[in-house]
Each structure stands twice: as structure tokens, then as C-alpha cells.
Amino acid sequence: DEANQLAHYVGLERGICREWRPPATPSVQPARGQSTASEKLLERVHTILHTSIAQAVKCVAHLERTWSETEMVRRLTRYSYKAATTMELRTLAWDQVCKQIVQLTMGSYGSACSDAAWFFQIDMAPAFVQAAWELLIGSGWQRLDYRQVQEAVTREYEEHLDHVLLDKAMLESLRACFPDTIHSKIYQALIKAYWPILDDIMANSGAMEDLQRVELFVRRWMCDSMGP
């Protein structure tokens, strides 16, 4: 049940259980009317997401002015579960599963909720971690370390939050400085140049000091975004 599942994941996060091996999947075909192993896995994932998201929503529900707490849980669970059902698990490495469940969820969830007062306050990482772990062990992965999955998912989630925060800050600054007719075009030029330049500098700047990296980034960003 939900209480036992929550206790299980709390134990994993505290390091009580660092490794888990899933039981062998039966080779026989299910009888008509029975759920397949894949369907049962997704049912478990849905329950895990709903339970974890309900815990997260309790901390921020007072900030929502339109949806009830129940509606918040329902919507956030739907965004996350939809991502889990579209993943081709058996063709992905474990770290790609961790990335994909965050990326696919944040696409719809971020678009729908990024303007909410609670968006940067709610902690969705535990829900993503637990769902990714269940998907991995339920798909046959063995000898996985829960802490590795936790770190990979949390890192991806925090990077997406940083992206959303940057987008919001950039758009708000442009709206304050330029008329509506042109600020969106300027934004597209700035954001198009931002990430490729940042990734290149972080990967190839060697022993350069942090301040030098910042100066190099700003120069290149200005030139590329304002170029022909």
C-alpha cells in the first residue's frame, strides 16, 4: 500500500537499502483480463508518483489561488505519469532514464505551472527519483545504487529549474526595457546563443579562473547574439 511504499523509499534515501535486485519476470503470457507485467509496473509508478507528489504539495498548497490541493496533486501526477508511460525503457541506459523522466515531465509541467507562486518552492525531485527507481528495477536493471539514481535525477531537475528561472529573468528584463513588438525577437536571439556558448566554455576553458570564464562568456554571448 502507499504507506509501505513511502516507508520503503525513505529507507532507500537514508541508505538503509543501497541495492535491490528485482525478481525474475515470468515468461508465461498473462491470461486474458490480467494486467501485463508492464501495466503492473506502470500502476506501481502511478501510485508512487501520487503518494510522493501529495507529500510535496502539502508544503505549498497554501500558495495556490486557483486549484485545490487535490487538484494540484492530480495535475502534477498526470504530468509526471504521462512522461513515464512514453519512455522506451529497454532501449535506454539507466542514467538516460533518469534524465528522460525529468525532461519529459518538465516540458509539460514547466509550461503549465512555471508562473505559479509555488513553482520554485515545491520539491518534485523525490517523486522523480522514486519513479525512476521503480521504472529501472521493474525493467530488469540489477545492482543499481539508489544514491546514484537520486543524484542523477536531482541534478537534472535542478538544471531544469535553473533554465526556467533564467528564461523568466531574461523575459522580465526585456519586457521592462523594450516594447512588446520586439522583446520576443531579442529574447530568441539571446537564448539561442546562451546555452551553446556556456556549454563550450565550461567544457573547454581548462584551468581558466572563474572570472575569466565569465568575461569570456559575456564577450562571446554579446557578439553571437548581436551578430548578423
Side-chain angles (χ1 to χ4, degrees):
D1 58 21
E2 293 188 1
N4 287 335
Q5 285 180 327
L6 184 59
H8 172 68
Y9 284 104
V10 169
L12 285 169
E13 290 171 359
R14 291 177 178 174
I16 296 172
C17 177
R18 296 291 300 279
E19 186 177 291
W20 192 89
R21 296 186 183 186
T25 302
S27 58
V28 297
Q29 295 295 321
R32 180 174 295 181
Q34 289 183 329
S35 297
T36 65
S38 178
E39 289 171 341
K40 289 180 178 179
L41 171 60
L42 290 176
E43 287 174 5
R44 294 197 302 272
V45 170
H46 186 276
T47 300
I48 288 165
L49 284 168
H50 186 275
T51 303
S52 184
I53 289 171
Q55 293 290 324
V57 166
K58 286 182 182 297
C59 300
V60 300
H62 63 284
L63 299 174
E64 174 58 40
R65 295 291 178 262
T66 303
W67 299 335
S68 66
E69 182 174 331
T70 300
E71 181 65 11
M72 287 180 68
V73 173
R74 187 186 71 81
R75 287 175 180 260
L76 299 190
T77 300
R78 185 183 66 194
Y79 296 136
S80 304
Y81 180 69
K82 184 177 180 181
T85 61
T86 58
M87 295 171 64
E88 295 294 336
L89 294 176
R90 298 188 185 279
T91 65
L92 297 176
W94 73 268
D95 56 332
Q96 290 301 310
V97 173
C98 295
K99 289 183 178 181
Q100 284 293 307
I101 194 168
V102 177
Q103 291 175 0
L104 292 173
T105 301
M106 293 299 289
S108 54
Y109 162 59
S111 297
C113 304
S114 61
D115 289 331
W118 46 263
F119 183 78
F120 293 102
Q121 304 299 320
I122 192 171
D123 185 7
M124 292 283 285
F128 293 146
V129 171
Q130 293 167 19
W133 178 256
E134 189 68 28
L135 286 167
L136 287 165
I137 61 175
S139 299
W141 283 90
Q142 298 185 18
R143 294 188 174 278
L144 281 176
D145 189 324
Y146 186 83
R147 298 295 177 88
Q148 286 182 306
V149 174
Q150 186 178 43
E151 289 172 5
V153 172
T154 302
R155 180 170 57 250
E156 188 71 21
Y157 174 62
E158 290 176 349
E159 286 181 2
H160 273 270
L161 289 182
D162 288 343
H163 285 212
V164 174
L165 191 60
L166 174 68
D167 283 355
K168 289 174 68 70
M170 199 177 293
L171 281 169
E172 289 174 5
S173 298
L174 291 171
R175 289 190 183 109
C177 298
F178 299 97
D180 292 343
T181 53
I182 63 171
H183 81 252
S184 61
K185 292 182 179 179
I186 298 174
Y187 165 78
Q188 291 298 328
L190 290 173
I191 203 67
K192 182 179 180 181
Y194 186 96
W195 293 112
I197 294 171
L198 179 63
D199 291 342
D200 182 57
I201 289 175
M202 295 303 294
N204 301 302
S205 55
M208 190 179 293
E209 296 290 335
D210 289 345
L211 181 58
Q212 291 177 305
R213 287 194 182 96
V214 172
E215 292 173 345
L216 177 60
F217 168 77
V218 172
R219 284 198 301 270
R220 287 186 54 186
W221 188 30
M222 290 175 63
C223 291
D224 285 20
S225 60
M226 297 175 66

